[in-house]
Each structure stands twice: as C-alpha cells, then as structure tokens.
Amino acid sequence: LALRRFTLAQLEPYLFGADRLVRDKALDVLELRLGAADADEALRLVEEMRRKVRADLTPATVLVVLRCLAALVKQQQLRSPNVCQSVVDMALSLLMHLDSPGWEHASVELVGEPTAATKDIAQDIAKALAARPKQAAAVSCECARIVREHCRGQPSRRAAETMYAQLASARVQQHPQLLQLVLDASVRALRGFHSADTRVLPKLIGSFAIRAPGLQGLLELALETLEGDAGFAAQLEPALRVRIADVEWEARDSALECVGRALRTLPWAQTSGLVTRGMIDDAANALADPEEYVRAAAAQLLTAVVERGDVASVHMVERHAGLARDALARVLADSEAL
C-alpha cells in the first residue's frame, strides 16, 4: 500500500538529487513501485522522463533517466509491452548511433517503432553527447542495461543482432563495464532463442574480444545447449580449441574445464563431438602449460576421456606421443595436476 501511494512526483527530488547513494535508493523504490504499476503509469513515466531531459541535459540527469527507463523495462514487459518496446528501440538506436563514425555530427536514426516521447529522448541525449563526447561510454552502458533487461524476458531478434554486432565493436572492447553489459544481454538473448541461434554461440566463444570473465557465461550456456542438442558439440569444438590457445591463462583454463565438465556430466552421445584428435593434442600440450591450473584442467579432461569415452577415444589418449613416460612423470611431480 505504501508503494502504491508513493508517486513519481514524490520520488523525483531523490532520484535527481546530488547524493548518489540517495539516488540509488530512490531507484530501488521506483523499481518496486513499477512492479505494481499499470500500463498508464508506465506511459506517464516515459512522458515524465522526456520532460526531465528537455529541462536538464546534464550528464547526471541523462544517466538517471536511462536508469529509470531500464527499471521500467525490467518490471513492465508483460503489462506494458508496447511502451517497453519503444524504450528498447530508443536504446538500440542510441547504441548504434554512438558506434557509427562521425556520430557527433549526425542525428540519430531510430529503429523499430519508437513513440514521440522516446524519439525526443533519443534526439535530446544525442545532442547533449555531441557537446560532451566523453560521456558516450556511460550512456552506452545505460542503453545496454535497458537492452539487457529486455533480453531477460522475450528478446527481440533486433535486440539480439544489435548486441552481437556490438561485441565486435572496438569501442565496446575498450570499456570493460560496457562489454560486460553487452555480453550479458547477448547471453540472455541466446537463451531466449534456444537452439535457433546456436551457430552464434561458438562464434562468440571463439572471439578473443571476449575476455575470460565474459567467457564464463558463454561456456555455461554452451553446456546447457550441449545437454539438449547432440549436434552442437561439433560446432563448439573448434571454438573451444581457439580459446585453449588464448594468451589469457584463465581463458585456457575455462575452455579445458568446460570440455572436462561436459564429459563428466553429460552422456557420451552428447559430447563425443568434442573429443577429436586435435582436442587430445591440445590437452596433452596443456600438461606443460606454465600455469598449474591449466595443467590440472588438462589432466582432468584427459582423465574424463579415459573414464567416459568410447574405445577409439581412449586409444587416442593411450597412444598419444605427448603422454609417454616422461610426460606422465612430469604430471606426477606436479601437485596441482596430480
């Protein structure tokens, strides 16, 4: 009852005040309030955000407006799908605009079906950024947050494809927070489309632009996909081998662990496509990796092949030149791998 009586007008001084901690708490209250709102109230919030941007284009106000719209999308996708889609289209338009050459001197080309209010918000924010281009990364983060919240529910193909394209952007790769938000949205979009877009997942896993922390989420999704799609292993194997050769030891470790975990937890019919001669070569070579965790992951992978594999796969391990007496002696002297 208290939340229902807490109007946006009452929250506004706290949402746009000078104290960041108070702003964050007010955003939490707004999100809870939106969970109990109807479609008319959602529409009023968008109109209020347009009025706020028109009146004040300072960076702090712009970022709070976008955060409010992200809360709206998170809480109102089912009750107000059209309003939320217009907000998502606005965010996608800004993301693509800020990634285009010479964006400072161009107007925003809006995609989808934005409303008059979201069109105005996008155009006003773009004008403000033209005068303060250093704020573009922060605005992109908030736009990516909006799309991520959209992808939690039923992501549109436009949102998914835009996020995939953003992952290849040099600008996105230069900003870790932005990259993580874009990656989170991409993973959620892939989950939403299930097997229809499994070809995208190996491409993302094999991209060196996605560092080890982001790779973890993709590999978790890969394991889920393997469980339901026996043909996926053959698509995934080349991408995993690319990351086993990564310069980041954490990525090498994660890729090897993914294969070992798949072999230990899923039926052989689902995972046999991962166990190629090249994968065995990579795992055997990784027993000499400078990082002990990578050596341990390689040992676990090879053990899983011997324990769970078919006769041909076990023979590949038994007869591998890299697993002769000297190599095994090194493993026995390695406490982590042992």
Side-chain angles (χ1 to χ4, degrees):
L1 286 173
L3 278 173
R4 288 174 186 169
R5 293 168 184 160
F6 221 119
T7 65
L8 182 61
Q10 289 173 303
L11 272 176
E12 188 173 330
Y14 305 104
L15 284 169
F16 296 96
D19 190 314
R20 182 175 178 176
L21 182 60
V22 172
R23 289 201 306 267
D24 289 344
K25 293 294 184 185
L27 281 164
D28 290 341
V29 173
L30 176 66
E31 186 174 311
L32 291 169
R33 177 70 186 84
L34 287 169
D38 56 23
D40 289 339
E41 190 166 351
L43 194 57
R44 284 197 297 274
L45 175 68
V46 177
E47 293 290 345
E48 184 61 25
M49 293 302 103
R50 172 167 67 170
R51 183 192 66 77
K52 196 68 185 176
V53 168
R54 281 279 161 97
D56 181 6
L57 276 174
T58 58
T61 296
V62 168
L63 295 178
V64 171
V65 163
L66 291 172
R67 189 66 70 89
C68 290
L69 294 175
L72 172 68
V73 171
K74 181 178 180 180
Q75 295 286 13
Q76 283 286 316
Q77 286 199 76
L78 296 179
R79 294 179 184 174
S80 312
N82 293 335
V83 175
C84 290
Q85 187 60 56
S86 72
V87 172
V88 172
D89 288 340
M90 176 210 74
L92 292 171
S93 300
L94 281 170
L95 279 169
M96 290 187 287
H97 173 71
L98 295 174
D99 203 39
S100 61
W103 63 266
E104 300 96 327
H105 311 294
S107 58
V108 182
E109 293 185 14
L110 292 146
V111 300
E113 299 179 1
T115 63
T118 53
K119 283 180 185 177
D120 288 345
I121 292 171
Q123 298 291 3
D124 288 343
I125 289 175
K127 289 177 185 175
L129 288 176
R132 300 185 183 92
K134 290 183 178 179
Q135 295 294 321
V139 168
S140 292
C141 282
E142 297 308 324
C143 290
R145 194 185 306 276
I146 290 171
V147 181
R148 183 186 68 174
E149 297 303 338
H150 168 64
C151 290
R152 285 179 189 271
Q154 295 181 342
S156 64
R157 186 166 295 276
R158 184 188 304 119
E161 290 175 350
T162 301
M163 291 298 102
Y164 303 157
Q166 289 283 306
L167 284 172
S169 164
R171 182 180 65 91
V172 172
Q173 294 167 27
Q174 291 167 3
H175 294 90
Q177 184 185 9
L178 177 55
L179 177 60
Q180 190 60 50
L181 285 164
V182 170
L183 184 60
D184 286 350
S186 299
V187 170
R188 293 178 193 283
L190 281 165
R191 278 202 170 92
F193 287 124
H194 297 295
S195 60
D197 274 343
T198 52
R199 65 189 184 279
V200 178
L201 184 53
K203 291 180 182 177
L204 297 181
I205 288 172
S207 171
F208 290 121
I210 299 171
R211 307 288 294 277
L215 181 62
Q216 290 284 357
L218 292 173
L219 293 177
E220 286 293 329
L221 181 55
L223 287 170
E224 292 176 21
T225 307
L226 271 173
E227 191 171 359
D229 184 353
F232 183 60
Q235 301 175 50
L236 183 60
E237 187 264 357
L240 288 170
R241 290 192 61 203
V242 166
R243 298 317 291 264
I244 291 172
D246 202 306
V247 294
E248 276 193 299
W249 75 263
E250 294 97 334
R252 300 196 300 275
D253 179 54
S254 295
L256 289 163
E257 278 194 345
C258 177
V259 179
R261 183 174 159 196
L263 293 172
R264 290 191 303 274
T265 60
L266 299 175
W268 176 251
Q270 306 296 110
T271 58
S272 59
L274 296 175
V275 184
T276 61
R277 186 169 297 279
M279 182 65 75
I280 299 297
D281 288 343
D282 291 346
N285 292 334
L287 289 175
D289 194 277
E291 291 293 335
E292 60 182 0
Y293 291 113
V294 177
R295 299 195 296 271
Q300 289 176 329
L301 187 161
L302 293 166
T303 302
V305 174
V306 173
E307 289 178 341
R308 305 293 297 275
D310 58 15
V311 172
S313 300
V314 173
H315 282 179
M316 279 197 293
V317 175
E318 288 177 340
R319 299 169 182 173
H320 197 283
L323 297 172
R325 182 183 302 244
D326 291 346
L328 293 177
R330 286 197 301 271
V331 173
L332 291 173
D334 186 334
S335 60
E336 183 68 29
L338 178 60

